[in-house]
């Protein structure tokens, strides 16, 4: 794997830390600025909303710019946002810093996935995307405990200074290690690393060209499958702490290490899913989604067992992220490399997160108990399986039609 992928993974790690560490710092931030818990919570919800908006807006605005330059600019924006948070004199500036940092999130992973896959041979494209996303999954493991530990010892501002430093390292790494042609072309040669001179198929750069990608039913089916798969997993994950403490019988202090078990599952699922998608992508996606639906349903049935809960939360992470690399390469393949489609995939996942969390909350409010979000999540993921099966069948039919010789 090229060294440029390591720089992209470091950028993903920093962005992931920014997203997750705030959860462990909310009490300190609320106390520091003398705001309510609800106001402090908007530092999380405001970030998520900005991710969904920024993914489309910034990708569209930078459609004709070289992708390496765009990535450098996005990481610079990330650094500025975290610097604002680190020095914020009041809550309003802190919120502004969170919004600025979040704007780069979706575009970075959308455009970065195209850059990552252009650095390797075609048969390794999903693995390359998985390497870039490895930074995000590791951040999921370390984000909350990192924020809580640093905040406890040196104050919450120190955590944002640390993330700012990581952003500067990623900025230097992408500038030095990612080639200038990356993302502008697709690999041509079978085997070996693609180069600028040996590549083919220039992806659409203009906004009008990129919008044409959304004429494809396959693009829309993949986006819907992405939203539903994330919605099912996040709908269950949003209330998992209540499941652990109110159903499984764990103490509240156990939740942190249980979430780390889930995070380790994300790392494993990301890497395994990338390899599987490079062998048979649609098959791997259907199996991963089926595995997630089954895991969530079993979790709901066996949540009263502490041992089963530990095993199933790990499997929930594995199956939940195993589909991510394949979904990204699938949507960009059918979009012919359009960056806007890749970023739309990130927005779709955030829309799914919001939908899943809302439906899980509705189930709890209806008095169905703290295992209800797991069953709701399983149902949502089964819808994703259905969409993915339809997409795979349509793709096979189209390929078969293309192979029929004209008379």
């Amino acid at each position: 794997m090229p060294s440029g992928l390591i720089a992209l993974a470091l950028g993903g790690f920093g962005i992931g830390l920014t997203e997750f560490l705030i959860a462990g710092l909310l009490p300190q931030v609320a106390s520091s600025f003398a705001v309510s818990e609800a106001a402090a919570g908007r530092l999380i919800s405001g970030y998520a909303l900005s991710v969904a908006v920024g993914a489309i807006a910034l990708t569209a605005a930078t459609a004709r710019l070289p992708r390496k330059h765009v990535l450098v600019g996005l990481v610079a924006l990330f650094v500025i946002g975290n610097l604002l948070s680190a020095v914020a004199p009041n809550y309003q500036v802190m919120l502004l810093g969170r919004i600025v940092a979040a704007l780069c999130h979706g575009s970075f992973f959308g455009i970065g996935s195209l850059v990552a896959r252009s650095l390797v041979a075609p048969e390794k494209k999903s693995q390359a995307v998985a390497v870039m996303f490895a930074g995000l999954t590791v951040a999921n493991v370390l984000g909350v405990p990192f924020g809580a530990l640093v905040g406890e010892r040196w104050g919450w501002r120190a955590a944002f200074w640390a993330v700012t430093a990581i952003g500067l390292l990623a900025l230097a790494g992408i500038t030095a290690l990612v080639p200038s042609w990356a993302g502008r072309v697709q690999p041509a040669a079978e085997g070996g690393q693609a180069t600028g001179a040996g590549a083919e198929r220039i992806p659409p750069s203009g906004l009008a060209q990129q919008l044409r990608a959304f004429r494809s039913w396959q693009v829309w089916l993949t986006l819907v499958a992405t939203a539903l798969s994330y919605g099912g997993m996040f709908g269950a994950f949003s209330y998992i702490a209540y499941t652990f403490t109110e159903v499984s019988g764990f103490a509240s202090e156990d939740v942190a290490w249980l979430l780390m078990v889930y995070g380790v599952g994300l790392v494993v699922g990301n890497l395994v899913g990338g390899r599987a998608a490079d062998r048979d992508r649609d098959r791997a996606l259907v199996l991963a989604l089926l595995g997630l639906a089954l895991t969530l349903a079993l979790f709901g049935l066996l949540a009263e067992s502490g041992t089963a809960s530990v095993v199933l939360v790990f499997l929930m992470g594995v199956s939940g992220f195993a589909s991510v690399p394949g979904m990204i390469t699938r949507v960009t393949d059918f979009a012919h490399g359009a960056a806007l489609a890749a970023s739309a995939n990130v927005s779709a996942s955030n829309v799914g997160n919001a939908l899943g969390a809302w439906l899980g909350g509705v189930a709890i409010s209806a008095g169905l108990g703290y295992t209800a979000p797991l069953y709701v999540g399983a149902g949502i993921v089964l819808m994703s399986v259905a969409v993915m099966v339809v997409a795979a069948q349509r793709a096979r039919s189209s390929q078969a039609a293309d192979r029929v010789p004209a008379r």
Side-chain angles (χ1 to χ4, degrees):
M1 290 290 176
S3 56
L5 284 178
I6 306 302
L8 292 173
L10 182 60
F13 176 67
I15 290 174
L17 277 183
T18 296
E19 179 179 14
F20 299 122
L21 66 79
I22 188 65
L25 298 172
L26 279 186
Q28 291 188 41
V29 173
S31 175
S32 178
F33 293 132
V35 297
S36 67
E37 291 84 352
R42 285 195 284 274
L43 297 173
I44 296 176
S45 58
Y47 185 98
L49 180 61
S50 299
V51 169
V53 173
I56 301 297
L58 287 184
T59 304
T62 59
R64 290 190 176 276
L65 299 178
R67 288 177 178 171
K68 175 182 177 178
H69 295 172
V70 174
L71 286 178
V72 169
L74 291 172
V75 178
L77 191 66
F78 166 79
V79 170
I80 292 170
N82 281 284
L83 186 60
L84 277 174
S85 295
V87 302
N90 53 50
Y91 170 80
Q92 288 74 20
V93 175
M94 176 73 176
L95 181 59
L96 175 63
R98 292 287 292 167
I99 291 172
V100 170
L103 288 174
C104 79
H105 184 125
S107 292
F108 178 87
F109 285 109
I111 296 172
S113 65
L114 294 173
V115 170
R117 60 179 288 169
S118 74
L119 297 176
V120 300
E123 66 271 15
K124 293 184 177 180
K125 59 189 177 185
S126 294
Q127 293 179 61
V129 172
V131 170
M132 188 195 76
F133 270 82
L136 177 64
T137 57
V138 171
N140 196 301
V141 178
L142 300 178
V144 174
F146 172 84
L149 178 63
V150 173
E152 181 181 344
R153 294 195 176 186
W154 297 291
W156 65 266
R157 293 182 188 273
F160 285 96
W161 280 114
V163 175
T164 301
I166 292 171
L168 289 172
L169 287 175
L171 184 63
I174 292 171
T175 302
L177 300 176
V178 175
S180 59
W181 52 262
R184 292 186 300 172
V185 291
Q186 300 290 348
E190 288 293 326
Q193 181 176 326
T195 64
E200 62 183 13
R201 187 194 287 271
I202 299 176
S205 56
L207 180 58
Q209 288 178 297
Q210 295 201 50
L211 287 173
R212 291 193 192 103
F214 293 93
R215 296 176 181 176
S216 167
W217 272 106
Q218 289 292 343
V219 169
W220 284 106
L221 287 170
T222 309
L223 292 177
V224 171
T226 295
L228 291 172
S229 63
Y230 268 87
M233 180 176 67
F234 199 79
F237 178 74
S238 297
Y239 305 96
I240 202 72
Y242 293 104
T243 306
F244 286 140
T245 57
E246 303 299 325
V247 181
S248 304
F250 288 101
S252 57
E253 54 266 26
D254 292 324
V255 172
W257 70 262
L258 288 165
L259 293 181
M260 291 187 70
V261 171
Y262 168 77
V264 172
L266 294 181
V267 175
V268 173
N270 176 54
L271 298 177
V272 171
R275 286 183 175 273
D278 281 333
R279 295 190 183 97
D280 187 336
R281 185 171 57 201
D282 284 356
R283 177 184 172 87
L285 288 173
V286 171
L287 289 177
L289 294 173
L290 279 172
L292 177 58
L294 178 61
T295 298
L296 293 175
L298 284 175
F299 201 165
L301 289 171
L302 304 176
E304 292 184 359
S305 167
T307 302
S309 295
V310 173
V311 173
L312 288 167
V313 78
F314 172 76
L315 294 177
M316 179 177 159
V318 173
S319 56
F321 225 81
S323 64
V324 171
M327 286 292 192
I328 293 174
T329 57
R330 192 178 201 282
V331 77
T332 51
D333 276 351
F334 283 104
H336 304 296
L340 194 60
S343 295
N345 197 70
V346 180
S347 290
S349 67
N350 279 271
V351 171
N353 289 351
L355 173 66
W358 175 68
L359 289 175
V362 168
I364 291 175
S365 299
L368 300 178
Y370 289 116
T371 59
L374 292 163
Y375 293 118
V376 170
I380 296 173
V381 176
L382 282 176
M383 294 171 63
S384 179
V385 173
V387 173
M388 193 63 242
V389 168
V390 171
Q393 289 177 341
R394 288 176 65 100
R396 281 198 300 270
S397 298
S398 177
Q399 290 169 358
D402 290 341
R403 287 194 293 267
V404 175
R407 294 183 179 180

